[in-house]
PDB file of all heavy atoms in Angstrom:
ATOM      1  N   LEU S   7     -94.818 -41.476  48.330  1.00  0.00           N
ATOM      2  CA  LEU S   7     -95.116 -42.582  49.328  1.00  0.00           C
ATOM      3  C   LEU S   7     -94.888 -43.807  48.647  1.00  0.00           C
ATOM      4  O   LEU S   7     -95.257 -43.979  47.402  1.00  0.00           O
ATOM      5  CB  LEU S   7     -96.476 -42.569  49.907  1.00  0.00           C
ATOM      6  CG  LEU S   7     -96.815 -41.445  50.885  1.00  0.00           C
ATOM      7  CD1 LEU S   7     -98.218 -41.511  51.217  1.00  0.00           C
ATOM      8  CD2 LEU S   7     -96.062 -41.477  52.196  1.00  0.00           C
ATOM      9  N   TYR S   8     -94.022 -44.786  49.229  1.00  0.00           N
ATOM     10  CA  TYR S   8     -93.885 -46.069  48.781  1.00  0.00           C
ATOM     11  C   TYR S   8     -95.320 -46.812  48.991  1.00  0.00           C
ATOM     12  O   TYR S   8     -96.033 -46.613  49.846  1.00  0.00           O
ATOM     13  CB  TYR S   8     -92.731 -46.895  49.353  1.00  0.00           C
ATOM     14  CG  TYR S   8     -91.427 -46.270  48.749  1.00  0.00           C
ATOM     15  CD1 TYR S   8     -90.814 -45.218  49.413  1.00  0.00           C
ATOM     16  CD2 TYR S   8     -90.878 -46.713  47.544  1.00  0.00           C
ATOM     17  CE1 TYR S   8     -89.686 -44.619  48.961  1.00  0.00           C
ATOM     18  CE2 TYR S   8     -89.684 -46.000  47.115  1.00  0.00           C
ATOM     19  CZ  TYR S   8     -89.163 -45.042  47.775  1.00  0.00           C
ATOM     20  OH  TYR S   8     -87.946 -44.458  47.212  1.00  0.00           O
ATOM     21  N   ARG S   9     -95.376 -47.998  48.183  1.00  0.00           N
ATOM     22  CA  ARG S   9     -96.598 -48.729  48.233  1.00  0.00           C
ATOM     23  C   ARG S   9     -97.038 -49.220  49.626  1.00  0.00           C
ATOM     24  O   ARG S   9     -98.285 -49.180  49.993  1.00  0.00           O
ATOM     25  CB  ARG S   9     -96.472 -50.016  47.309  1.00  0.00           C
ATOM     26  CG  ARG S   9     -97.857 -50.713  47.135  1.00  0.00           C
ATOM     27  CD  ARG S   9     -97.957 -51.533  45.948  1.00  0.00           C
ATOM     28  NE  ARG S   9     -99.275 -52.113  45.659  1.00  0.00           N
ATOM     29  CZ  ARG S   9     -99.518 -52.603  44.487  1.00  0.00           C
ATOM     30  NH1 ARG S   9     -98.710 -52.853  43.594  1.00  0.00           N
ATOM     31  NH2 ARG S   9    -100.692 -53.014  44.385  1.00  0.00           N
ATOM     32  N   SER S  10     -95.882 -49.763  50.396  1.00  0.00           N
ATOM     33  CA  SER S  10     -96.345 -50.152  51.770  1.00  0.00           C
ATOM     34  C   SER S  10     -96.776 -48.911  52.634  1.00  0.00           C
ATOM     35  O   SER S  10     -97.282 -49.244  53.810  1.00  0.00           O
ATOM     36  CB  SER S  10     -95.069 -50.819  52.402  1.00  0.00           C
ATOM     37  OG  SER S  10     -94.017 -49.911  52.378  1.00  0.00           O
ATOM     38  N   LEU S  12     -98.647 -46.400  51.631  1.00  0.00           N
ATOM     39  CA  LEU S  12     -99.967 -45.833  51.053  1.00  0.00           C
ATOM     40  C   LEU S  12    -101.167 -46.309  52.070  1.00  0.00           C
ATOM     41  O   LEU S  12    -101.938 -47.289  51.884  1.00  0.00           O
ATOM     42  CB  LEU S  12    -100.194 -46.257  49.684  1.00  0.00           C
ATOM     43  CG  LEU S  12     -99.300 -45.743  48.652  1.00  0.00           C
ATOM     44  CD1 LEU S  12     -99.347 -46.452  47.277  1.00  0.00           C
ATOM     45  CD2 LEU S  12     -99.394 -44.307  48.434  1.00  0.00           C
ATOM     46  N   ALA S  30     -97.163 -41.784  44.127  1.00  0.00           N
ATOM     47  CA  ALA S  30     -97.037 -43.087  44.666  1.00  0.00           C
ATOM     48  C   ALA S  30     -96.047 -43.944  44.019  1.00  0.00           C
ATOM     49  O   ALA S  30     -96.092 -43.922  42.704  1.00  0.00           O
ATOM     50  CB  ALA S  30     -98.461 -43.694  44.572  1.00  0.00           C
ATOM     51  N   HIS S  31     -95.299 -44.719  44.710  1.00  0.00           N
ATOM     52  CA  HIS S  31     -94.390 -45.630  44.140  1.00  0.00           C
ATOM     53  C   HIS S  31     -95.126 -47.069  44.144  1.00  0.00           C
ATOM     54  O   HIS S  31     -95.443 -47.512  45.194  1.00  0.00           O
ATOM     55  CB  HIS S  31     -93.108 -45.809  44.957  1.00  0.00           C
ATOM     56  CG  HIS S  31     -92.220 -44.560  44.882  1.00  0.00           C
ATOM     57  ND1 HIS S  31     -91.142 -44.493  44.235  1.00  0.00           N
ATOM     58  CD2 HIS S  31     -92.409 -43.373  45.537  1.00  0.00           C
ATOM     59  CE1 HIS S  31     -90.499 -43.243  44.435  1.00  0.00           C
ATOM     60  NE2 HIS S  31     -91.315 -42.662  45.170  1.00  0.00           N
ATOM     61  N   TRP S  32     -95.434 -47.569  43.029  1.00  0.00           N
ATOM     62  CA  TRP S  32     -96.079 -48.841  42.919  1.00  0.00           C
ATOM     63  C   TRP S  32     -95.283 -50.130  43.181  1.00  0.00           C
ATOM     64  O   TRP S  32     -95.560 -51.155  43.088  1.00  0.00           O
ATOM     65  CB  TRP S  32     -96.787 -49.117  41.565  1.00  0.00           C
ATOM     66  CG  TRP S  32     -98.205 -49.562  41.701  1.00  0.00           C
ATOM     67  CD1 TRP S  32     -98.722 -50.588  40.897  1.00  0.00           C
ATOM     68  CD2 TRP S  32     -99.249 -49.062  42.518  1.00  0.00           C
ATOM     69  NE1 TRP S  32    -100.046 -50.770  41.252  1.00  0.00           N
ATOM     70  CE2 TRP S  32    -100.433 -49.915  42.214  1.00  0.00           C
ATOM     71  CE3 TRP S  32     -99.358 -48.148  43.537  1.00  0.00           C
ATOM     72  CZ2 TRP S  32    -101.672 -49.760  42.930  1.00  0.00           C
ATOM     73  CZ3 TRP S  32    -100.647 -48.052  44.225  1.00  0.00           C
ATOM     74  CH2 TRP S  32    -101.669 -48.809  43.847  1.00  0.00           C
ATOM     75  N   VAL S  33     -93.904 -49.819  43.400  1.00  0.00           N
ATOM     76  CA  VAL S  33     -92.810 -50.879  43.629  1.00  0.00           C
ATOM     77  C   VAL S  33     -92.270 -50.470  45.071  1.00  0.00           C
ATOM     78  O   VAL S  33     -91.733 -49.348  45.278  1.00  0.00           O
ATOM     79  CB  VAL S  33     -91.764 -50.997  42.588  1.00  0.00           C
ATOM     80  CG1 VAL S  33     -90.892 -52.098  42.820  1.00  0.00           C
ATOM     81  CG2 VAL S  33     -92.542 -51.079  41.130  1.00  0.00           C
ATOM     82  N   ASP S  34     -92.013 -51.476  45.950  1.00  0.00           N
ATOM     83  CA  ASP S  34     -91.419 -51.117  47.207  1.00  0.00           C
ATOM     84  C   ASP S  34     -89.928 -51.636  47.122  1.00  0.00           C
ATOM     85  O   ASP S  34     -89.770 -52.738  46.538  1.00  0.00           O
ATOM     86  CB  ASP S  34     -92.138 -51.860  48.338  1.00  0.00           C
ATOM     87  CG  ASP S  34     -93.141 -51.021  48.995  1.00  0.00           C
ATOM     88  OD1 ASP S  34     -92.928 -49.852  49.112  1.00  0.00           O
ATOM     89  OD2 ASP S  34     -94.154 -51.581  49.459  1.00  0.00           O
ATOM     90  N   TYR S  35     -89.129 -50.970  47.641  1.00  0.00           N
ATOM     91  CA  TYR S  35     -87.684 -51.340  47.757  1.00  0.00           C
ATOM     92  C   TYR S  35     -87.369 -51.615  49.251  1.00  0.00           C
ATOM     93  O   TYR S  35     -87.216 -50.665  50.073  1.00  0.00           O
ATOM     94  CB  TYR S  35     -86.727 -50.283  47.275  1.00  0.00           C
ATOM     95  CG  TYR S  35     -87.236 -49.713  46.010  1.00  0.00           C
ATOM     96  CD1 TYR S  35     -87.567 -48.315  45.855  1.00  0.00           C
ATOM     97  CD2 TYR S  35     -87.320 -50.447  44.812  1.00  0.00           C
ATOM     98  CE1 TYR S  35     -87.973 -47.757  44.756  1.00  0.00           C
ATOM     99  CE2 TYR S  35     -87.730 -49.838  43.593  1.00  0.00           C
ATOM    100  CZ  TYR S  35     -88.121 -48.481  43.533  1.00  0.00           C
ATOM    101  OH  TYR S  35     -88.595 -47.918  42.406  1.00  0.00           O
ATOM    102  N   PHE S  36     -87.389 -52.915  49.693  1.00  0.00           N
ATOM    103  CA  PHE S  36     -87.173 -53.214  51.174  1.00  0.00           C
ATOM    104  C   PHE S  36     -88.135 -52.362  51.932  1.00  0.00           C
ATOM    105  O   PHE S  36     -87.741 -51.817  52.917  1.00  0.00           O
ATOM    106  CB  PHE S  36     -85.684 -52.929  51.509  1.00  0.00           C
ATOM    107  CG  PHE S  36     -84.692 -53.896  50.884  1.00  0.00           C
ATOM    108  CD1 PHE S  36     -83.996 -53.444  49.759  1.00  0.00           C
ATOM    109  CD2 PHE S  36     -84.677 -55.129  51.439  1.00  0.00           C
ATOM    110  CE1 PHE S  36     -83.054 -54.406  49.235  1.00  0.00           C
ATOM    111  CE2 PHE S  36     -83.724 -56.027  50.870  1.00  0.00           C
ATOM    112  CZ  PHE S  36     -83.027 -55.715  49.820  1.00  0.00           C
ATOM    113  N   GLY S  37     -89.439 -52.462  51.497  1.00  0.00           N
ATOM    114  CA  GLY S  37     -90.439 -51.727  52.332  1.00  0.00           C
ATOM    115  C   GLY S  37     -90.364 -50.182  52.207  1.00  0.00           C
ATOM    116  O   GLY S  37     -90.893 -49.458  53.020  1.00  0.00           O
ATOM    117  N   GLY S  38     -89.603 -49.761  51.191  1.00  0.00           N
ATOM    118  CA  GLY S  38     -89.509 -48.296  51.017  1.00  0.00           C
ATOM    119  C   GLY S  38     -88.184 -47.783  51.588  1.00  0.00           C
ATOM    120  O   GLY S  38     -87.909 -46.540  51.324  1.00  0.00           O
ATOM    121  N   ALA S  39     -87.395 -48.590  52.285  1.00  0.00           N
ATOM    122  CA  ALA S  39     -86.186 -48.046  52.905  1.00  0.00           C
ATOM    123  C   ALA S  39     -85.077 -48.360  51.972  1.00  0.00           C
ATOM    124  O   ALA S  39     -84.031 -49.096  52.266  1.00  0.00           O
ATOM    125  CB  ALA S  39     -86.021 -48.696  54.170  1.00  0.00           C
ATOM    126  N   GLN S  40     -85.099 -47.769  50.683  1.00  0.00           N
ATOM    127  CA  GLN S  40     -84.069 -48.081  49.696  1.00  0.00           C
ATOM    128  C   GLN S  40     -82.703 -47.492  49.968  1.00  0.00           C
ATOM    129  O   GLN S  40     -81.681 -48.141  49.541  1.00  0.00           O
ATOM    130  CB  GLN S  40     -84.539 -47.577  48.230  1.00  0.00           C
ATOM    131  CG  GLN S  40     -84.329 -46.116  48.020  1.00  0.00           C
ATOM    132  CD  GLN S  40     -85.308 -45.274  48.641  1.00  0.00           C
ATOM    133  OE1 GLN S  40     -85.907 -45.516  49.463  1.00  0.00           O
ATOM    134  NE2 GLN S  40     -85.437 -44.072  47.910  1.00  0.00           N
ATOM    135  N   TRP S  51     -81.616 -53.607  45.840  1.00  0.00           N
ATOM    136  CA  TRP S  51     -82.696 -53.090  46.570  1.00  0.00           C
ATOM    137  C   TRP S  51     -83.670 -54.106  46.925  1.00  0.00           C
ATOM    138  O   TRP S  51     -84.627 -53.887  47.691  1.00  0.00           O
ATOM    139  CB  TRP S  51     -83.353 -51.908  45.835  1.00  0.00           C
ATOM    140  CG  TRP S  51     -82.574 -50.615  45.867  1.00  0.00           C
ATOM    141  CD1 TRP S  51     -81.554 -50.373  46.540  1.00  0.00           C
ATOM    142  CD2 TRP S  51     -82.974 -49.434  45.216  1.00  0.00           C
ATOM    143  NE1 TRP S  51     -81.080 -49.190  46.434  1.00  0.00           N
ATOM    144  CE2 TRP S  51     -81.913 -48.524  45.587  1.00  0.00           C
ATOM    145  CE3 TRP S  51     -83.979 -48.937  44.439  1.00  0.00           C
ATOM    146  CZ2 TRP S  51     -81.912 -47.220  45.163  1.00  0.00           C
ATOM    147  CZ3 TRP S  51     -84.074 -47.709  43.868  1.00  0.00           C
ATOM    148  CH2 TRP S  51     -83.038 -46.815  44.248  1.00  0.00           C
ATOM    149  N   GLY S  52     -83.585 -55.382  46.360  1.00  0.00           N
ATOM    150  CA  GLY S  52     -84.693 -56.342  46.581  1.00  0.00           C
ATOM    151  C   GLY S  52     -85.146 -56.938  45.329  1.00  0.00           C
ATOM    152  O   GLY S  52     -84.560 -56.827  44.301  1.00  0.00           O
ATOM    153  N   ARG S  53     -86.226 -57.675  45.413  1.00  0.00           N
ATOM    154  CA  ARG S  53     -86.765 -58.489  44.371  1.00  0.00           C
ATOM    155  C   ARG S  53     -87.891 -57.837  43.650  1.00  0.00           C
ATOM    156  O   ARG S  53     -88.746 -57.187  44.338  1.00  0.00           O
ATOM    157  CB  ARG S  53     -87.238 -59.907  44.700  1.00  0.00           C
ATOM    158  CG  ARG S  53     -86.043 -60.780  45.182  1.00  0.00           C
ATOM    159  CD  ARG S  53     -86.509 -62.099  45.533  1.00  0.00           C
ATOM    160  NE  ARG S  53     -85.285 -62.993  45.941  1.00  0.00           N
ATOM    161  CZ  ARG S  53     -84.456 -63.562  45.132  1.00  0.00           C
ATOM    162  NH1 ARG S  53     -84.717 -63.528  43.798  1.00  0.00           N
ATOM    163  NH2 ARG S  53     -83.432 -64.223  45.508  1.00  0.00           N
ATOM    164  N   ALA S  54     -87.865 -57.774  42.417  1.00  0.00           N
ATOM    165  CA  ALA S  54     -88.959 -57.257  41.583  1.00  0.00           C
ATOM    166  C   ALA S  54     -90.378 -57.860  41.859  1.00  0.00           C
ATOM    167  O   ALA S  54     -90.289 -59.012  42.350  1.00  0.00           O
ATOM    168  CB  ALA S  54     -88.688 -57.264  39.983  1.00  0.00           C
ATOM    169  N   GLY S  55     -91.337 -57.181  41.548  1.00  0.00           N
ATOM    170  CA  GLY S  55     -92.713 -57.712  41.817  1.00  0.00           C
ATOM    171  C   GLY S  55     -93.370 -58.498  40.610  1.00  0.00           C
ATOM    172  O   GLY S  55     -92.746 -59.469  40.172  1.00  0.00           O
ATOM    173  N   ALA S  56     -94.508 -58.240  40.213  1.00  0.00           N
ATOM    174  CA  ALA S  56     -95.291 -58.815  39.385  1.00  0.00           C
ATOM    175  C   ALA S  56     -95.010 -58.382  37.933  1.00  0.00           C
ATOM    176  O   ALA S  56     -94.908 -57.292  37.702  1.00  0.00           O
ATOM    177  CB  ALA S  56     -96.783 -58.863  39.692  1.00  0.00           C
ATOM    178  N   TRP S  60    -100.380 -53.362  35.602  1.00  0.00           N
ATOM    179  CA  TRP S  60    -101.207 -52.891  36.663  1.00  0.00           C
ATOM    180  C   TRP S  60    -102.642 -52.995  36.576  1.00  0.00           C
ATOM    181  O   TRP S  60    -103.036 -52.846  35.428  1.00  0.00           O
ATOM    182  CB  TRP S  60    -100.713 -51.502  37.067  1.00  0.00           C
ATOM    183  CG  TRP S  60     -99.260 -51.248  37.380  1.00  0.00           C
ATOM    184  CD1 TRP S  60     -98.431 -52.282  37.854  1.00  0.00           C
ATOM    185  CD2 TRP S  60     -98.531 -49.966  37.203  1.00  0.00           C
ATOM    186  NE1 TRP S  60     -97.236 -51.531  38.035  1.00  0.00           N
ATOM    187  CE2 TRP S  60     -97.246 -50.226  37.738  1.00  0.00           C
ATOM    188  CE3 TRP S  60     -98.890 -48.660  36.874  1.00  0.00           C
ATOM    189  CZ2 TRP S  60     -96.215 -49.325  37.763  1.00  0.00           C
ATOM    190  CZ3 TRP S  60     -97.942 -47.630  36.930  1.00  0.00           C
ATOM    191  CH2 TRP S  60     -96.540 -48.008  37.364  1.00  0.00           C
ATOM    192  N   ILE S  82     -97.728 -41.917  39.419  1.00  0.00           N
ATOM    193  CA  ILE S  82     -97.238 -43.186  39.815  1.00  0.00           C
ATOM    194  C   ILE S  82     -95.740 -43.134  39.313  1.00  0.00           C
ATOM    195  O   ILE S  82     -95.428 -42.676  38.280  1.00  0.00           O
ATOM    196  CB  ILE S  82     -97.818 -44.282  39.202  1.00  0.00           C
ATOM    197  CG1 ILE S  82     -99.312 -44.423  39.702  1.00  0.00           C
ATOM    198  CG2 ILE S  82     -97.139 -45.673  39.660  1.00  0.00           C
ATOM    199  CD1 ILE S  82     -99.683 -44.839  41.034  1.00  0.00           C
ATOM    200  N   GLU S  83     -94.859 -43.604  40.281  1.00  0.00           N
ATOM    201  CA  GLU S  83     -93.382 -43.367  39.866  1.00  0.00           C
ATOM    202  C   GLU S  83     -92.718 -44.734  39.775  1.00  0.00           C
ATOM    203  O   GLU S  83     -92.794 -45.596  40.740  1.00  0.00           O
ATOM    204  CB  GLU S  83     -92.594 -42.552  41.072  1.00  0.00           C
ATOM    205  CG  GLU S  83     -91.180 -42.156  40.788  1.00  0.00           C
ATOM    206  CD  GLU S  83     -90.673 -40.982  41.509  1.00  0.00           C
ATOM    207  OE1 GLU S  83     -91.448 -40.041  41.385  1.00  0.00           O
ATOM    208  OE2 GLU S  83     -89.772 -41.173  42.189  1.00  0.00           O
ATOM    209  N   ASN S  84     -92.189 -44.960  38.651  1.00  0.00           N
ATOM    210  CA  ASN S  84     -91.400 -46.200  38.319  1.00  0.00           C
ATOM    211  C   ASN S  84     -92.177 -47.428  37.953  1.00  0.00           C
ATOM    212  O   ASN S  84     -93.063 -47.883  38.743  1.00  0.00           O
ATOM    213  CB  ASN S  84     -90.417 -46.536  39.423  1.00  0.00           C
ATOM    214  CG  ASN S  84     -89.348 -45.441  39.695  1.00  0.00           C
ATOM    215  OD1 ASN S  84     -88.898 -44.744  38.699  1.00  0.00           O
ATOM    216  ND2 ASN S  84     -89.007 -45.175  40.864  1.00  0.00           N
ATOM    217  N   PHE S  85     -91.884 -47.945  36.807  1.00  0.00           N
ATOM    218  CA  PHE S  85     -92.349 -49.362  36.433  1.00  0.00           C
ATOM    219  C   PHE S  85     -91.701 -50.346  37.273  1.00  0.00           C
ATOM    220  O   PHE S  85     -90.718 -50.195  37.768  1.00  0.00           O
ATOM    221  CB  PHE S  85     -92.221 -49.531  34.941  1.00  0.00           C
ATOM    222  CG  PHE S  85     -92.901 -48.741  34.043  1.00  0.00           C
ATOM    223  CD1 PHE S  85     -92.225 -47.738  33.271  1.00  0.00           C
ATOM    224  CD2 PHE S  85     -94.309 -48.844  33.874  1.00  0.00           C
ATOM    225  CE1 PHE S  85     -92.915 -46.817  32.431  1.00  0.00           C
ATOM    226  CE2 PHE S  85     -95.029 -47.881  33.009  1.00  0.00           C
ATOM    227  CZ  PHE S  85     -94.328 -47.026  32.313  1.00  0.00           C
ATOM    228  N   ASP S  86     -92.362 -51.507  37.517  1.00  0.00           N
ATOM    229  CA  ASP S  86     -91.661 -52.659  38.044  1.00  0.00           C
ATOM    230  C   ASP S  86     -90.569 -53.349  37.205  1.00  0.00           C
ATOM    231  O   ASP S  86     -90.947 -53.558  36.024  1.00  0.00           O
ATOM    232  CB  ASP S  86     -92.775 -53.616  38.570  1.00  0.00           C
ATOM    233  CG  ASP S  86     -92.113 -54.755  39.514  1.00  0.00           C
ATOM    234  OD1 ASP S  86     -91.144 -55.263  39.212  1.00  0.00           O
ATOM    235  OD2 ASP S  86     -92.745 -54.918  40.533  1.00  0.00           O
ATOM    236  N   PRO S  87     -89.383 -53.500  37.530  1.00  0.00           N
ATOM    237  CA  PRO S  87     -88.400 -54.162  36.672  1.00  0.00           C
ATOM    238  C   PRO S  87     -88.962 -55.522  36.083  1.00  0.00           C
ATOM    239  O   PRO S  87     -88.510 -55.880  34.984  1.00  0.00           O
ATOM    240  CB  PRO S  87     -87.211 -54.376  37.642  1.00  0.00           C
ATOM    241  CG  PRO S  87     -87.286 -53.344  38.578  1.00  0.00           C
ATOM    242  CD  PRO S  87     -88.811 -53.117  38.902  1.00  0.00           C
ATOM    243  N   ALA S  88     -89.895 -56.209  36.816  1.00  0.00           N
ATOM    244  CA  ALA S  88     -90.394 -57.496  36.259  1.00  0.00           C
ATOM    245  C   ALA S  88     -91.262 -57.177  35.084  1.00  0.00           C
ATOM    246  O   ALA S  88     -91.396 -58.049  34.226  1.00  0.00           O
ATOM    247  CB  ALA S  88     -91.204 -58.075  37.256  1.00  0.00           C
ATOM    248  N   GLN S  89     -91.780 -55.895  34.876  1.00  0.00           N
ATOM    249  CA  GLN S  89     -92.528 -55.635  33.742  1.00  0.00           C
ATOM    250  C   GLN S  89     -91.714 -55.270  32.442  1.00  0.00           C
ATOM    251  O   GLN S  89     -92.361 -55.463  31.412  1.00  0.00           O
ATOM    252  CB  GLN S  89     -93.505 -54.369  33.993  1.00  0.00           C
ATOM    253  CG  GLN S  89     -94.506 -54.646  35.098  1.00  0.00           C
ATOM    254  CD  GLN S  89     -95.299 -53.408  35.408  1.00  0.00           C
ATOM    255  OE1 GLN S  89     -94.767 -52.351  35.547  1.00  0.00           O
ATOM    256  NE2 GLN S  89     -96.564 -53.532  35.488  1.00  0.00           N
ATOM    257  N   TRP S  90     -90.519 -54.759  32.672  1.00  0.00           N
ATOM    258  CA  TRP S  90     -89.885 -54.254  31.488  1.00  0.00           C
ATOM    259  C   TRP S  90     -88.338 -54.439  31.461  1.00  0.00           C
ATOM    260  O   TRP S  90     -87.718 -53.792  30.827  1.00  0.00           O
ATOM    261  CB  TRP S  90     -90.205 -52.696  31.295  1.00  0.00           C
ATOM    262  CG  TRP S  90     -89.529 -51.787  32.339  1.00  0.00           C
ATOM    263  CD1 TRP S  90     -89.273 -51.947  33.678  1.00  0.00           C
ATOM    264  CD2 TRP S  90     -89.145 -50.486  31.993  1.00  0.00           C
ATOM    265  NE1 TRP S  90     -88.761 -50.856  34.131  1.00  0.00           N
ATOM    266  CE2 TRP S  90     -88.621 -49.868  33.201  1.00  0.00           C
ATOM    267  CE3 TRP S  90     -89.223 -49.715  30.878  1.00  0.00           C
ATOM    268  CZ2 TRP S  90     -88.159 -48.653  33.354  1.00  0.00           C
ATOM    269  CZ3 TRP S  90     -88.683 -48.378  30.981  1.00  0.00           C
ATOM    270  CH2 TRP S  90     -88.218 -47.782  32.158  1.00  0.00           C
ATOM    271  N   TRP S 166     -81.609 -52.388  37.144  1.00  0.00           N
ATOM    272  CA  TRP S 166     -82.117 -51.165  37.808  1.00  0.00           C
ATOM    273  C   TRP S 166     -81.920 -51.484  39.216  1.00  0.00           C
ATOM    274  O   TRP S 166     -82.686 -51.175  40.207  1.00  0.00           O
ATOM    275  CB  TRP S 166     -83.557 -51.116  37.446  1.00  0.00           C
ATOM    276  CG  TRP S 166     -84.178 -49.678  37.661  1.00  0.00           C
ATOM    277  CD1 TRP S 166     -83.740 -48.559  37.002  1.00  0.00           C
ATOM    278  CD2 TRP S 166     -85.076 -49.328  38.509  1.00  0.00           C
ATOM    279  NE1 TRP S 166     -84.369 -47.501  37.439  1.00  0.00           N
ATOM    280  CE2 TRP S 166     -85.333 -47.905  38.415  1.00  0.00           C
ATOM    281  CE3 TRP S 166     -85.951 -49.981  39.472  1.00  0.00           C
ATOM    282  CZ2 TRP S 166     -86.282 -47.180  39.008  1.00  0.00           C
ATOM    283  CZ3 TRP S 166     -86.982 -49.212  40.118  1.00  0.00           C
ATOM    284  CH2 TRP S 166     -87.069 -47.860  39.913  1.00  0.00           C
ATOM    285  N   MET S 168     -82.363 -54.215  41.103  1.00  0.00           N
ATOM    286  CA  MET S 168     -83.305 -55.085  41.620  1.00  0.00           C
ATOM    287  C   MET S 168     -83.222 -56.370  40.790  1.00  0.00           C
ATOM    288  O   MET S 168     -82.878 -56.426  39.590  1.00  0.00           O
ATOM    289  CB  MET S 168     -84.747 -54.549  41.480  1.00  0.00           C
ATOM    290  CG  MET S 168     -84.912 -53.300  42.385  1.00  0.00           C
ATOM    291  SD  MET S 168     -86.580 -52.793  42.380  1.00  0.00           S
ATOM    292  CE  MET S 168     -87.334 -54.028  43.381  1.00  0.00           C
TER     293      MET S 168
END
Side-chain angles (χ1 to χ4, degrees):
L7 293 173
Y8 288 93
R9 188 162 188 168
S10 60
L12 293 168
H31 297 252
W32 221 229
V33 185
D34 266 327
Y35 317 113
F36 291 100
Q40 85 276 27
W51 282 356
R53 295 187 177 273
W60 295 340
I82 298 285
E83 190 156 301
N84 297 323
F85 296 108
D86 194 307
Q89 294 177 313
W90 72 325
W166 207 62
M168 294 185 72

